[in-house]
Amino acid sequence: MTINALISCLDKKIKGTVALVKKQGIGDKLATSSGLVLVDIGAFEVDVVSYFKRILAPFSEQHIFALFNAHDLSAKELASWPFITGVFRKEDDLEHLCHGIEKMLSGEYWLPRQKLAELIHYYQKNNNNVIDYSKLCLTNREQQILRKLVTSASNNEIADSLFVSAHTVKSHLYNIFKKINVKNRVQAVFWAKNNLSVVGLDYQD
């Protein structure tokens, strides 16, 4: 399927506007809009992919990013894209792509199960996240949200269960990530499983 055919199909199946963004001017485009961005890494050389990582990273709170036409990325390669929410392979059909996009728009990750397991294992082996527990201060709400993350709940599901908006959940996640020094949901889940039960954490409302 050509990129134009893909855009046409997605435009019909996904609620919202679908557009093709070129390398030139991508920063300006991202700064003036918000939504889901599919990064076709199969179309670029390694040095261009590195360029895109630097350009896209500052917009991780404004957009949802997914890798499209991804080759068999190693866990190390995938970890180098900490702001990525989903991964689509070249062989994935349109139905799979649309379903994954809908899940990501609701706040979920969309990664092949094996790739997710490899990524968690990679973080376990390379965990350099040192936290000063005497200074860590998670609110009760932040604790609740972290525990919900461990159950693989999406932002919308967390919002419904806590009777808050999805935007509020996203704001809490942003604050949580900063406090526990992680870059994405996978790292946050790993941190929560290993640290939420630590005695002596200073929690507050």
Side-chain angles (χ1 to χ4, degrees):
M1 179 180 294
T2 66
I3 189 66
N4 288 330
L6 172 64
I7 290 174
S8 177
C9 291
L10 287 176
D11 202 22
K12 295 176 182 177
K13 291 179 175 290
I14 302 295
K15 295 179 181 179
T17 301
V18 180
L20 175 63
V21 180
K22 304 286 187 179
K23 176 183 175 182
Q24 294 76 15
I26 188 171
D28 293 336
K29 181 69 175 180
L30 293 174
T32 57
S33 63
S34 63
L36 180 121
V37 178
L38 291 177
V39 182
D40 188 357
I41 63 173
F44 307 112
E45 299 296 332
V46 175
D47 59 333
V48 179
V49 171
S50 299
Y51 165 82
F52 270 114
K53 288 179 185 177
R54 295 193 302 271
I55 293 296
L56 301 180
F59 299 99
S60 60
E61 294 302 315
Q62 187 174 342
H63 296 273
I64 300 171
F65 291 101
L67 298 181
F68 176 64
N69 276 339
H71 60 286
D72 189 19
L73 294 174
S74 67
K76 182 178 180 179
E77 289 174 309
L78 191 54
S80 72
W81 293 84
F83 53 89
I84 288 297
T85 303
V87 174
F88 296 99
R89 298 162 299 186
K90 188 174 183 179
E91 61 269 25
D92 290 338
D93 59 27
L94 182 62
E95 182 178 355
H96 180 89
L97 183 63
C98 289
H99 183 61
I101 288 175
E102 289 171 351
K103 290 294 185 181
M104 285 187 291
L105 291 176
S106 72
E108 295 186 34
Y109 263 56
W110 189 258
L111 297 171
R113 184 170 297 180
Q114 179 184 354
K115 199 57 61 181
L116 181 60
E118 291 174 2
L119 191 57
I120 292 174
H121 181 66
Y122 174 83
Y123 287 140
Q124 289 173 332
K125 288 180 60 179
N126 299 275
N127 181 28
N128 298 316
N129 187 8
V130 179
I131 298 292
D132 185 347
Y133 293 111
S134 66
K135 297 180 180 179
L136 179 63
C137 193
L138 293 173
T139 67
N140 286 336
R141 180 65 83 194
E142 289 167 349
Q143 292 179 66
Q144 290 175 322
I145 290 175
L146 270 175
R147 291 191 173 97
K148 295 290 184 183
L149 278 187
V150 173
T151 68
S152 300
S154 68
N155 286 7
N156 286 347
E157 290 169 338
I158 295 173
D160 289 343
S161 67
L162 298 178
F163 304 102
V164 297
S165 70
H167 177 74
T168 297
V169 171
K170 189 173 182 179
S171 296
H172 278 305
L173 286 175
Y174 175 76
N175 292 330
I176 291 169
F177 289 2
K178 288 180 62 178
K179 287 183 178 182
I180 64 177
N181 192 28
V182 302
K183 296 180 179 180
N184 57 44
R185 291 170 72 101
V186 177
Q187 288 179 315
V189 168
F190 172 68
W191 187 94
K193 287 182 177 179
N194 287 277
N195 294 281
L196 270 183
S197 61
V198 174
V199 177
L201 283 178
D202 182 18
Y203 298 127
Q204 68 175 15
D205 289 321

